[in-house]
Amino acid sequence: MFEIEQKVMDEARQGEAYQGLEEETQGSEKRFYIESYGCQMNFSDSEIIASILNSSGFGSTRDADNADLILLNTCSIREKAEQTIRKRLTEFKKIKKNNPGLLIGVLGCMAERLKSKLLEEEKLVDIVVGPDAYRTLPQLIEEAETGTKAVNVLLSREETYADISPVRINSNGITAFVSIMRGCNNMCAFCVVPFTRGRERSRDNESIIQECKDLFERGFKEVTLLGQNVDSYYWVDPISNHAIDFAMLLEQVALISPKLRVRFSTSHPKDITEKVLQTMKAHENICKYIHLPIQSGSTRILQLMNRTYTREWYLAKVKRIKEVMPDCAISSDIIAGFCTEDDNDHYDTLDVMRTSKYEYSYMFMYSERPGTLAAKRYKDDVPLEVKQQRLAEIVSLQNQLSLETNKLDIGKTFEVLIEGNSKKSDEQWMGRNSQNKVVVFDKTDAIMKPGDYVLVVVHDCTQGTLIGKIVS
Ligand code: SAM
Ligand code: SF4
C-alpha cells in the first residue's frame, strides 16, 4: 500500500546505524556507533557529528558491540518517538555490562527537551548533547571518560555548522541532503521543534554553494536543501551587505550545473513566495515538487494551531502553484485529532485533501508535547479511538488519491535519475522523476548506471510506484 510504503520509506531509516567508510576508521583506536531517529534534519546532523568525531580521532563501527561510544540522535516530535528511544536504551544494558568502559550518549531533540533530567531517568546514559552543542562532543567525551556525567544543551543563535564538512552516511553517492538553516521561529501550537532546536538562523550562503559544488564534483546528481522552514532563508553577507533570500539561493544552486537536480523541504505555506515559484519554473533542474504541509483543513483548527493561514488561503496557494507549474506535485503533513477537533473539522481536512489532490502525505495522530502552546492552552480532548478512526480515514483517502494521481501518469514520459537497483529485483532500476515519484523499469542497457538520467515511459503503476520502460 502506498501510504504504508511512504511511512516505511521514513520509518525504514529510523534507528539507521552509521555505515562508516573503511578509510575513516583506519588507525583509529576508538570507535563510535550512531543511530539516527526522526526527521531528515537529524540524519543530516549525524553526518556533521560523524565529521566532528572523525576529526578528533574516532573511527566508526556498524556494530554496537564493538563500540567505545554509542550515540542515539533522537527525536521528540511525538511521544512515541521518545518511547522508542527509551526502549532502545534498555537494549544497550547488556553491552554496557560486558564493556563497562563503554560510553552512551543521547543527542538531539530529546536531549534538549529533557536536559539533565535524562541522566536521572536513564542511569545508563553518560552524555547528553543538544542540537547546537555538537562541537563540544570531544570535550564531553573526555569528561565522561573520567566518570563524570557530561551535559551540554545550550542553544545558540548563531551555530549552523557551516564550516564542517559532513561525512555522508549510508550514501548512495547520487542524492544528498544539505542543511541551509537551523531552528524555527514559527511556534505552531502543537510543535516542540522551536523549543528543542531554538531560534531560526540561516547558514552562510557561500558555504552552502561550496558544499553543493563539492557534491556535484564528487558525482552526486541531486541535492535537497533542508530546513524546518526553507522559504524564510535569509542571509546578509557581512562584507558586501548583499542579502540572499530563498529564491536567490535556489537559483544559485540550480546554476551549478543543469545536471544537478535541486529539491527542498519543508515549505511553510505562509512563506513560499511567487518569486520561489517563478524560480522553480525557470529552471528545469529545480524539481517540480513542493512539500506544503496543511496540518488541518479547518480554519478554526488552523487558528488554534497558530498556523497563520486559513483553509481558503492555503487552497489559493495550491491553485497558484498549479497555475505556474501544472506538472508540480504537492505533498502534505496532516494531524488527526488536534484539540477540540470535531467531525466537521475532520471533513474539512478530507475536503482539502481531495481539492489539493496530494501526491503523498505524512499523516499523524495528534500527540501532546509538554511545554508547547497547545499543552499549555488546550485540552487534548479527542479520544484515542476517534483520533485512530480519523487517521484511518485520512490514510485511506490519501491511498486513493495517490493511486489516482499515479494513474494519470500512465502514458507520460519522464526524465528519471537512476538511484540504484529496485527493491524487488536486481534486473530493474529504481529512480525518481522530478515530481519525486519512484519509478522502476527493466535494465535494458548494460552501460547504464546509478547517477544516469534516462527517459522512461510509464505503462503501469501502484499506489507508490510508477512502472515504466526506457525510451530508446
Ligand atoms: N517544519 C516542518 C513543517 O512545518 O511542516 C516540519 C515539522 S515536524 C518535524 C514534521 C511534522 O510532524 C509536522 O508537519 C506535523 O505534521 C507533525 N507534528 C509535529 N508536532 C506534532 C504533534 N505534537 N503531534 C503530531 N504530529 C506532530
Ligand atoms: Fe514545528 Fe511549525 Fe516550526 Fe514546522 S513550522 S518546525 S511545525 S513550529
Side-chain angles (χ1 to χ4, degrees):
M1 280 179 2
F2 177 63
E3 185 276 333
I4 301 296
E5 277 185 40
Q6 268 292 300
K7 288 204 161 169
V8 169
M9 271 200 289
D10 277 350
E11 255 145 43
R13 290 207 75 189
Q14 299 300 301
E16 192 172 79
Y18 172 54
Q19 294 178 24
L21 298 170
E22 279 286 312
E23 60 268 30
E24 287 162 24
T25 57
Q26 277 167 13
S28 315
E29 274 177 27
K30 292 192 175 168
R31 300 282 162 105
F32 73 94
Y33 167 91
I34 187 166
E35 281 180 13
S36 309
Y37 294 82
C39 68
Q40 198 52 55
M41 291 294 291
N42 256 8
F43 285 79
S44 187
D45 277 1
S46 291
E47 301 186 331
I48 287 166
I49 294 160
S51 177
I52 293 171
L53 289 176
N54 283 165
S55 314
S56 67
F58 271 86
S60 62
T61 172
R62 286 179 66 190
D63 183 1
D65 288 304
N66 285 335
D68 302 283
L69 172 67
I70 292 180
L71 299 172
L72 297 184
N73 194 358
T74 63
C75 170
S76 277
I77 201 88
R78 283 167 290 276
E79 197 185 347
K80 193 168 157 259
E82 291 197 0
Q83 284 164 354
T84 308
I85 300 296
R86 291 195 191 263
K87 189 159 160 276
R88 188 68 182 124
L89 279 171
T90 61
E91 290 164 12
F92 292 136
K93 266 191 193 148
K94 212 169 123 216
I95 308 182
K96 190 139 179 169
K97 209 168 156 203
N98 294 337
N99 174 9
L102 170 72
L103 295 178
I104 297 187
V106 175
L107 319 178
C109 290
M110 196 173 164
E112 191 62 51
R113 195 179 82 73
L114 294 168
K115 304 185 171 56
S116 50
K117 218 169 126 202
L118 197 53
L119 293 175
E120 289 155 32
E121 291 171 2
E122 303 288 344
K123 299 283 178 240
L124 205 69
V125 176
D126 305 288
I127 304 171
V128 175
V129 195
D132 287 347
Y134 297 143
R135 280 181 205 270
T136 63
L137 246 178
Q139 293 94 288
L140 295 170
I141 294 166
E142 270 180 34
E143 205 177 313
E145 278 168 345
T146 68
T148 321
K149 305 256 177 190
V151 184
N152 188 350
V153 287
L154 284 178
L155 286 175
S156 157
R157 279 177 181 259
E158 285 92 35
E159 181 62 273
T160 58
Y161 301 108
D163 57 316
I164 294 177
S165 183
V167 174
R168 299 293 159 187
I169 295 180
N170 301 352
S171 170
N172 59 9
I174 311 297
T175 59
F177 291 89
V178 174
S179 173
I180 64 162
M181 60 202 296
R182 298 180 73 81
C184 182
N185 287 353
N186 276 330
M187 288 293 173
C188 299
F190 50 79
C191 186
V192 79
V193 168
F195 304 96
T196 57
R197 292 197 155 253
R199 303 293 291 170
E200 181 183 289
R201 67 223 95 120
S202 295
R203 177 179 164 189
D204 170 357
N205 175 253
E206 270 298 310
S207 76
I208 299 171
I209 303 300
Q210 200 47 53
E211 186 176 333
C212 295
K213 277 186 182 159
D214 286 349
L215 285 164
F216 184 65
E217 275 158 24
R218 283 164 52 201
F220 284 80
K221 295 287 172 56
E222 185 180 292
V223 289
T224 302
L225 307 180
L226 273 189
Q228 295 297 351
N229 188 12
V230 286
D231 297 273
S232 64
Y233 177 86
Y234 190 75
W235 168 258
V236 183
D237 187 307
I239 298 165
S240 66
N241 250 347
H242 185 55
I244 311 276
D245 64 16
F246 182 59
M248 292 156 91
L249 174 70
L250 251 188
E251 175 151 72
Q252 288 175 334
V253 180
L255 288 174
I256 291 173
S257 166
K259 290 283 169 210
L260 180 69
R261 275 186 174 180
V262 191
R263 299 189 185 277
F264 55 90
S265 187
T266 297
S267 292
H268 192 297
K270 77 174 162 58
D271 291 319
I272 188 161
T273 59
E274 181 68 22
K275 192 174 165 197
V276 166
L277 301 185
Q278 295 300 338
T279 307
M280 289 178 75
K281 185 182 174 181
H283 297 272
E284 210 183 317
N285 59 332
I286 303 181
C287 292
K288 303 300 176 274
Y289 166 60
I290 301 176
H291 184 53
L292 196 73
I294 175 105
Q295 312 297 0
S296 166
S298 151
T299 295
R300 187 182 72 83
I301 296 293
L302 285 169
Q303 265 163 3
L304 292 182
M305 286 178 163
N306 198 24
R307 286 293 285 184
T308 70
Y309 52 82
T310 61
R311 157 202 182 78
E312 290 72 25
W313 196 92
Y314 179 92
L315 288 174
K317 189 65 84 176
V318 168
K319 189 162 166 255
R320 184 65 194 145
I321 291 170
K322 297 282 184 187
E323 274 165 12
V324 177
M325 294 169 288
D327 61 340
C328 189
I330 300 178
S331 63
S332 191
D333 288 351
I334 299 167
I335 297 179
F338 186 68
C339 315
T340 78
E341 185 187 79
D342 63 20
D343 283 346
N344 287 332
D345 299 313
H346 172 59
Y347 299 145
D348 279 350
T349 297
L350 298 176
D351 189 58
V352 166
M353 290 175 70
R354 279 189 210 100
T355 313
S356 305
K357 298 193 178 69
Y358 295 130
E359 264 79 3
Y360 330 97
S361 285
Y362 296 89
M363 299 155 281
F364 316 100
M365 267 189 289
Y366 173 58
S367 163
E368 185 178 84
R369 307 311 292 130
T372 56
L373 292 182
K376 285 185 199 151
R377 285 186 197 161
Y378 317 124
K379 209 167 152 229
D380 180 12
D381 57 357
V382 177
L384 182 63
E385 318 78 74
V386 178
K387 284 184 186 171
Q388 283 167 336
Q389 175 60 31
R390 289 184 189 156
L391 180 64
E393 288 173 24
I394 289 169
V395 167
S396 158
L397 174 59
Q398 184 55 57
N399 287 342
Q400 192 189 316
L401 291 174
S402 299
L403 184 60
E404 279 169 19
T405 61
N406 279 358
K407 277 186 179 164
L408 292 176
D409 287 337
I410 294 178
K412 290 186 190 163
T413 300
F414 294 104
E415 186 181 61
V416 175
L417 172 62
I418 303 178
E419 291 182 22
N421 287 338
S422 96
K423 261 191 255 164
K424 289 198 182 133
S425 160
D426 288 354
E427 307 293 306
Q428 286 186 321
W429 290 123
M430 168 270 168
R432 280 169 208 273
N433 65 6
S434 174
Q435 289 71 16
N436 206 32
K437 290 190 181 182
V438 171
V439 187
V440 296
F441 49 96
D442 287 343
K443 296 180 179 177
T444 51
D445 183 341
I447 307 164
M448 262 167 208
K449 56 185 186 316
D452 286 348
Y453 289 99
V454 280
L455 287 179
V456 177
V457 60
V458 175
H459 58 76
D460 202 357
C461 71
T462 65
Q463 256 166 220
T465 311
L466 300 179
I467 301 155
K469 206 174 147 201
I470 293 181
V471 179
S472 55

